[in-house]
Amino acid sequence: MKLFKHSLFIALIFTFSGVIAFAQETGGVKGKIRTTKGEGISGASVTAKRDGKDVKSVKADGEGRFVLNNLEAGIYNIVFDKTGYAAGVKYNVEIKKNKTGDLGDRLILTADQGTQVIVKGSVFNQNDRSIGGARVEIEKISSDGTIRKAGSGYTNVSGEFTFRFSEGAAKYRVTASAKDSKASREIDVDSAGIYRLAISLKVKE
């Protein structure tokens, strides 16, 4: 019985030593995934691929940061993915033994327009001429009547504006103003797509 326990103890030592040796032979990468506005993308998937196969995946934290460890030394393609965004790839990333490479904090994913609500519009004067440089604000109206600001900007030289939001049913109020004139339009959206509207202002010539 004592011999069995002694043998088991030795076996455990060798197994534990093997795990340590394997850990010392591996490396990893870290970084931060952002939107084009610089905001961290929470829950984005990060996958190390080698020879066309997925090796290991992790999820980014609430600030878009991730650490992908325990990868054998070698060359990998690192894929970044999140619903609502176009996938990104960092090619030919070298993983070195006992090191965690830093991919930086500029791993940017662009929004996938196929999963966005896009509100487009134009601002005209009373003579149907486009108004460039008009102030445009958009508010989201909740089902309980609560109103919160969702974005703002200015029309381009053609009097046009664009706002983008995550997919989902909602009601928006768009307000345009120029030369002491102001007008609003409301629009209901029910799914991803492009929604258009026009706003007319009575401005002094």
Side-chain angles (χ1 to χ4, degrees), residues 168-185:
K171 184 174 185 178
Y172 294 99
R173 177 185 296 156
V174 182
T175 301
S177 58
K179 297 181 180 180
D180 297 325
S181 179
K182 179 184 291 187
S184 298
R185 288 280 305 276

Side-chain angles (χ1 to χ4, degrees), residues 35-154:
T35 66
T36 53
K37 295 180 179 180
E39 302 168 343
I41 302 178
S42 173
S45 296
V46 184
T47 303
K49 298 176 74 74
R50 194 176 189 183
D51 299 326
K53 297 180 180 179
D54 293 353
V55 177
K56 187 177 181 181
S57 296
V58 296
K59 294 284 189 180
D61 66 15
E63 297 180 347
R65 299 183 185 279
F66 68 89
V67 179
L68 186 57
N69 279 327
N70 297 326
L71 297 174
E72 293 183 5
I75 303 299
Y76 294 79
N77 291 334
I78 309 298
V79 180
F80 311 96
D81 189 30
K82 176 68 184 284
T83 302
Y85 296 87
V89 183
K90 193 82 170 177
Y91 292 99
N92 300 320
V93 175
E94 183 180 4
I95 302 299
K96 298 181 180 179
K97 296 178 183 178
N98 308 320
K99 292 186 178 181
T100 300
D102 191 350
L103 299 181
D105 61 357
R106 300 295 295 171
L107 302 170
I108 297 174
L109 297 185
T110 57
D112 181 357
Q113 293 190 6
T115 59
Q116 284 188 308
V117 167
I118 302 175
V119 179
K120 286 180 170 288
S122 300
V123 179
F124 300 92
N125 65 15
Q126 63 272 26
N127 298 316
D128 292 329
R129 294 178 181 175
S130 59
I131 302 176
R135 172 76 173 176
V136 183
E137 297 180 328
I138 186 166
E139 300 169 307
K140 186 175 183 179
I141 305 173
S142 301
S143 57
D144 63 359
T146 303
I147 301 174
R148 67 175 181 83
K149 185 176 179 180
S152 63
Y154 294 88

